[in-house]
Amino acid sequence: MPILSRPALVEHLVRTRIAGDVATPRDNNLSHYRKLANGDRHYWFGLELGDRWTDEQDVLAVMAERCGVIDDPAHRAGQDTIDPELTVDGLDRMAARLRKAAAGRERVLFATGHPGALIDVHSRIAAALRAQGCDIVRIPGGLIADEGYVVQFADVAVFERGASLWHTHSPEPMNAILDALGEDGRPDLVIADHGWAGRAGQRGVDSVGYADCNDPALFIGEAEGTMQVTIPLDDHVLDPRFYEPLTAYTLAAADLA
């Protein structure tokens, strides 16, 4: 795949609605920000936020700054946005961390709560790091969390229940992996999303995560320094192939293409 320039990638992100005018409506975003502020741990994504984010308006301010949602508190319904320039900025920060991982031949764990959309993104980056000598973590077999199984496909840890891969925000699958690996098998870096990424960061592992505009926790985690990088994007667009130019850009920026 040809490597897009930054302006061309921004155009692609907007055209495919990975960023720009995204599908997630404003009222859904605000509902999630309010639930996080009210202490609903489902929306904390494995982070421990204490009582530092009890004002919904503070959460909105972080999301406007780091994700590019509309910053007007009076805008309660209709369209909301992700700033594609912030998406590419996040990819560039991620690329810098990937270069460090490749240079140090680090031990890297990949995981996703969005297997229907992001598994190929994670898998391609895993393959590129392995080619540079990184140790891509192979998770132990038989791991159980949330009444299902934590399994691995194409180097990416996912949650399975009833012979299907599930969309999950839960941090418990990441807990199961890190507990099973122990200190000796601890990864140097986790590249993930949702509660997989948040719990890794909370447990002291360098963590890079993708996050949608209705998922504020990882952006707060980066603001507080618990997350290394959080990349804003719509994490489940119509066609998973729409993410391919984004992945190619990241690998090129990290000198891994």
Side-chain angles (χ1 to χ4, degrees), residues 97-175:
R97 186 61 185 85
L98 292 176
R99 283 196 300 274
K100 178 182 176 182
R105 297 189 174 184
E106 290 183 347
R107 183 167 165 78
V108 187
L109 171 64
F110 290 83
T112 185
H114 255 293
L118 298 179
I119 194 167
D120 189 55
V121 175
H122 289 301
S123 181
R124 289 184 60 200
I125 295 173
L129 287 177
R130 176 180 282 112
Q132 295 296 314
C134 288
D135 178 12
I136 305 305
V137 173
R138 184 176 176 88
I139 70 170
L143 298 183
I144 296 174
D146 295 332
E147 300 181 349
Y149 296 95
V150 187
V151 296
Q152 196 166 31
F153 292 96
D155 293 322
V156 186
V158 293
F159 180 68
E160 179 187 33
R161 185 190 291 169
S164 297
L165 304 186
W166 280 51
H167 171 209
T168 179
H169 292 183
S170 173
E172 293 309 319
M174 181 57 70
N175 269 337

Side-chain angles (χ1 to χ4, degrees), residues 22-172:
V22 293
T24 309
R26 176 66 167 195
D27 56 338
N28 182 264
N29 284 347
L30 295 181
S31 172
H32 287 202
Y33 305 168
R34 183 167 54 254
K35 289 173 181 176
L36 179 145
N38 288 340
D40 187 335
R41 287 178 172 266
H42 177 75
Y43 297 91
W44 287 16
F45 283 15
L47 295 167
E48 294 298 332
L49 303 180
D51 58 0
R52 300 185 298 279
W53 298 92
T54 57
D55 188 333
E56 177 186 344
Q57 300 309 315
D58 290 340
V59 180
L60 174 59
V62 168
M63 293 303 291
E65 176 188 7
R66 293 179 175 268
C67 183
V69 302
I70 297 167
D71 62 0
D72 180 5
H75 178 57
R76 309 299 298 178
Q79 184 64 56
D80 213 339
T81 57
I82 293 175
D83 185 341
E85 297 288 349
L86 293 178
T87 303
V88 183
D89 287 346
L91 296 176
D92 287 339
R93 294 196 305 278
M94 177 182 183
R97 186 61 185 85
L98 292 176
R99 283 196 300 274
K100 178 182 176 182
R105 297 189 174 184
E106 290 183 347
R107 183 167 165 78
V108 187
L109 171 64
F110 290 83
T112 185
H114 255 293
L118 298 179
I119 194 167
D120 189 55
V121 175
H122 289 301
S123 181
R124 289 184 60 200
I125 295 173
L129 287 177
R130 176 180 282 112
Q132 295 296 314
C134 288
D135 178 12
I136 305 305
V137 173
R138 184 176 176 88
I139 70 170
L143 298 183
I144 296 174
D146 295 332
E147 300 181 349
Y149 296 95
V150 187
V151 296
Q152 196 166 31
F153 292 96
D155 293 322
V156 186
V158 293
F159 180 68
E160 179 187 33
R161 185 190 291 169
S164 297
L165 304 186
W166 280 51
H167 171 209
T168 179
H169 292 183
S170 173
E172 293 309 319

